[in-house]
Amino acid sequence: MLGAALLVLVAPPLLTAGSGAETGTQIPGLRLMVPNTPGGGYDITARTAAKNAEDAGLTHNIEVFNLPGAGGTVGLTRLVGEHGNGKLAMSMGLGVVGAARSNHSPKTLADTTPIARLTEEQDVVVVAKDSPYRTIGQLMRAWKKNPGKLPVGGGSSPGGPDHLAPMLMARAAGIEPRKVNYVPYDGGGELLASILGSKVAFGVSGVGEYLDQINSGELRLLAVTGPKRVRGLDGPTLKESGYDVDFTNWRGIVAPPGLSDAEREKLTVLVEKLHASPEWRTSLRTNGWDDAFLTGQEFGDFLDAQDKRVVSVLKELGL
């Protein structure tokens, strides 16, 4: 009896405070896939979400790993192949929607289990600090004069946000989208090196990906693509600069197909608790992200609508 009493006193509790036990959000062995290279928007979103979830005591030891390729469709194919795996999820967004279309992927987001849309953010139009273009007007005039000789880089495949945004910019400036020299990179991390190395005349990517470089002066911000200026950044919107463009990107989380109701609910509750945490609220402000939370079937319907939107815009632009 004495030995049993001592065992109770010294053994660690099976459910510890701050482990996610109280909220039902603990998923041991949870892995979060990033379908592009480190430093891109999906990567930043995934690592921020994982850290915030752990800091908030919702779960622990989330493994974030990168599986880049083909604009995110390599990761998408892997995710769909993990049928019934309730301990795997993928960070994704509009770029994967577009890549699935442009790469004619046999797997699409309709094959996944939608968990949540997390954020919405504007794209930024940036150049290297030593670029001759100091304003968006200067860049657009030079681009219109000779679009083929001013390559624009983006961190997504054709059909993704970093491709659609400059195509809409081109149309607004009177440039035939087919004449645009668009150079795709597998995420904002790869794109950054090409902007800084002047391999492209300018780049378009998510605001959260390049905040540090803009604030340090390594990149010069010329404009943002959304309906309003980004708080804390000195850059006009395209609309106020005379170009009729209003474009935003979004990011979210999907899981493999074939999950049980309990597994899907577990992932959804974890993300709901993350969304409500002060840690996540701070990250939204820090990264310039807008809250765009949406879960379950509503998110699934949104994904379907986004797929149709990509097809429609590409047809409208003649691409």
Side-chain angles (χ1 to χ4, degrees):
M1 290 178 63
L2 178 60
L6 288 172
L7 182 61
V8 169
L9 288 172
V10 300
L14 293 176
L15 298 177
T16 59
S19 69
E22 313 87 348
T23 54
T25 56
Q26 182 63 252
I27 306 178
L30 178 61
R31 306 179 77 213
L32 188 52
M33 184 198 306
V34 176
N36 63 9
T37 54
Y42 301 149
D43 188 69
I44 294 171
T45 302
R47 294 182 190 280
T48 300
K51 185 177 187 307
N52 288 172
E54 292 177 2
D55 289 347
L58 300 175
T59 190
H60 66 278
N61 297 331
I62 300 174
E63 179 191 349
V64 180
F65 69 100
N66 298 79
L67 185 63
T73 55
V74 170
L76 175 63
T77 301
R78 162 74 178 277
L79 185 82
V80 174
E82 294 277 346
H83 190 277
N85 186 352
K87 295 188 177 184
L88 179 65
M90 185 177 81
S91 174
M92 47 69 72
L94 179 57
V96 177
V97 179
R101 279 290 177 181
S102 61
N103 293 330
H104 306 289
S105 172
K107 305 300 181 183
T108 71
L109 289 165
D111 298 311
T112 69
T113 299
I115 301 299
R117 184 182 68 186
L118 294 175
T119 64
E120 187 176 48
E121 73 169 341
Q122 303 194 41
D123 268 357
V124 290
V125 182
V126 293
V127 295
K129 63 180 180 181
D130 56 355
S131 167
Y133 308 114
R134 306 196 66 83
T135 68
I136 188 65
Q138 289 176 348
L139 171 65
M140 297 294 265
R141 286 190 291 273
W143 195 28
K144 185 175 182 179
K145 189 173 181 179
N146 203 336
K149 289 193 174 181
L150 264 72
V152 50
S156 59
S157 297
D162 299 350
H163 171 251
L164 294 178
M167 293 302 162
L168 293 171
M169 287 170 57
R171 185 179 66 177
I175 299 169
E176 170 57 50
R178 288 180 180 273
K179 294 182 179 179
V180 173
N181 182 5
Y182 177 75
V183 184
Y185 293 87
D186 203 354
E190 283 191 0
L191 171 62
L192 177 61
S194 290
I195 300 173
L196 295 176
S198 300
K199 293 181 179 179
V200 292
F202 66 104
V204 177
S205 193
V207 60
E209 294 172 77
Y210 293 159
L211 272 177
D212 290 344
Q213 291 77 17
I214 292 171
N215 289 330
S216 70
E218 288 298 301
L219 292 178
R220 180 182 301 144
L221 173 64
L222 299 185
V224 297
T225 64
K228 60 184 179 181
R229 292 190 177 213
V230 175
R231 182 171 46 193
L233 292 182
D234 184 19
T237 67
L238 287 168
K239 273 202 168 183
E240 71 180 274
S241 303
Y243 304 97
D244 189 16
V245 176
D246 183 349
F247 180 86
T248 55
N249 187 18
W250 57 269
R251 295 192 179 94
I253 294 175
V254 294
L259 300 192
S260 67
D261 290 345
E263 288 171 324
R264 185 179 66 249
E265 180 67 13
K266 193 88 169 180
L267 282 167
T268 302
V269 170
L270 172 59
V271 177
E272 286 174 342
K273 297 292 185 182
L274 169 67
H275 173 252
S277 71
E279 289 83 358
W280 180 250
R281 295 291 169 180
T282 298
S283 293
L284 289 176
R285 292 191 298 271
T286 301
N287 290 289
W289 296 336
D290 292 324
D291 186 12
F293 197 61
L294 199 65
T295 61
Q297 188 56 50
E298 287 185 322
F299 181 42
D301 293 342
F302 172 79
L303 290 177
D304 182 59
Q306 287 290 287
D307 181 57
K308 291 181 172 65
R309 177 194 179 203
V310 166
V311 173
S312 174
V313 171
L314 289 177
K315 285 182 177 179
E316 182 183 338
L317 295 172
L319 300 172

